[in-house]
Amino acid sequence: MIILGNVIDEQGRCTHYSKKEDTISIKFKCCGAYYPCYKCHEENSNHKTQPWKQEDFDEKAIFCGVCKKDLTIHQYMNSTNCKHCHTLFNPNCSKHFHIYFETGHNSTCTF
């Protein structure tokens, strides 16, 4: 898997988010490319983020940098850890869900 952006290690951490729990990358709906975070996407692409629509939440768009396996958006949003390797997700990532995913509120939010 190629992860674009300001990646600093083999598990997909970036210059913006580098805690132990920061190991997932997200396939962006707008370009199909994987980035560790919206800031990396903003700094390294030439277009605005387009959030995934709720009807697309069965799409495998989350990549675990620890076990190197994909998760669906539903699996990611409804869990605190990877279903494959049980690595904990950073709970603060949910504060940015409205950027990546249509959540019913702020679904048109861009940064």
Side-chain angles (χ1 to χ4, degrees):
M1 177 65 56
I2 296 174
I3 302 169
L4 304 176
N6 307 323
V7 181
I8 60 170
D9 71 15
E10 70 283 347
Q11 292 186 339
R13 291 175 187 88
C14 68
T15 56
H16 307 106
Y17 299 102
S18 58
K19 291 183 179 178
K20 180 181 177 184
E21 299 86 7
D22 293 319
T23 59
I24 65 103
S25 293
I26 298 171
K27 180 168 75 172
F28 279 70
K29 172 74 172 176
C30 46
C31 57
Y34 282 85
Y35 288 89
C37 73
Y38 70 94
K39 292 178 183 180
C40 282
H41 182 271
E42 181 181 52
E43 293 172 2
N44 295 280
S45 70
N46 60 1
H47 59 272
K48 290 188 177 186
T49 299
Q50 176 186 352
W52 287 93
K53 295 191 179 297
Q54 290 181 1
E55 58 264 22
D56 296 327
F57 283 10
D58 287 328
E59 177 83 22
K60 288 188 175 183
I62 310 299
F63 181 74
C64 177
V66 176
C67 68
K68 312 298 186 213
K69 294 191 178 176
D70 294 306
L71 298 153
T72 67
I73 296 167
H74 273 304
Q75 289 169 329
Y76 173 62
M77 292 179 74
N78 295 312
S79 184
T80 58
N81 60 311
C82 177
K83 77 171 204 139
H84 303 289
C85 69
H86 308 291
T87 295
L88 290 176
F89 299 139
N90 186 332
N92 289 321
C93 290
S94 64
K95 294 176 183 176
H96 306 134
F97 277 4
H98 66 281
I99 296 170
Y100 308 115
F101 316 117
E102 186 180 81
T103 60
H105 59 55
N106 297 329
S107 62
T108 59
C109 180
T110 58
F111 45 94

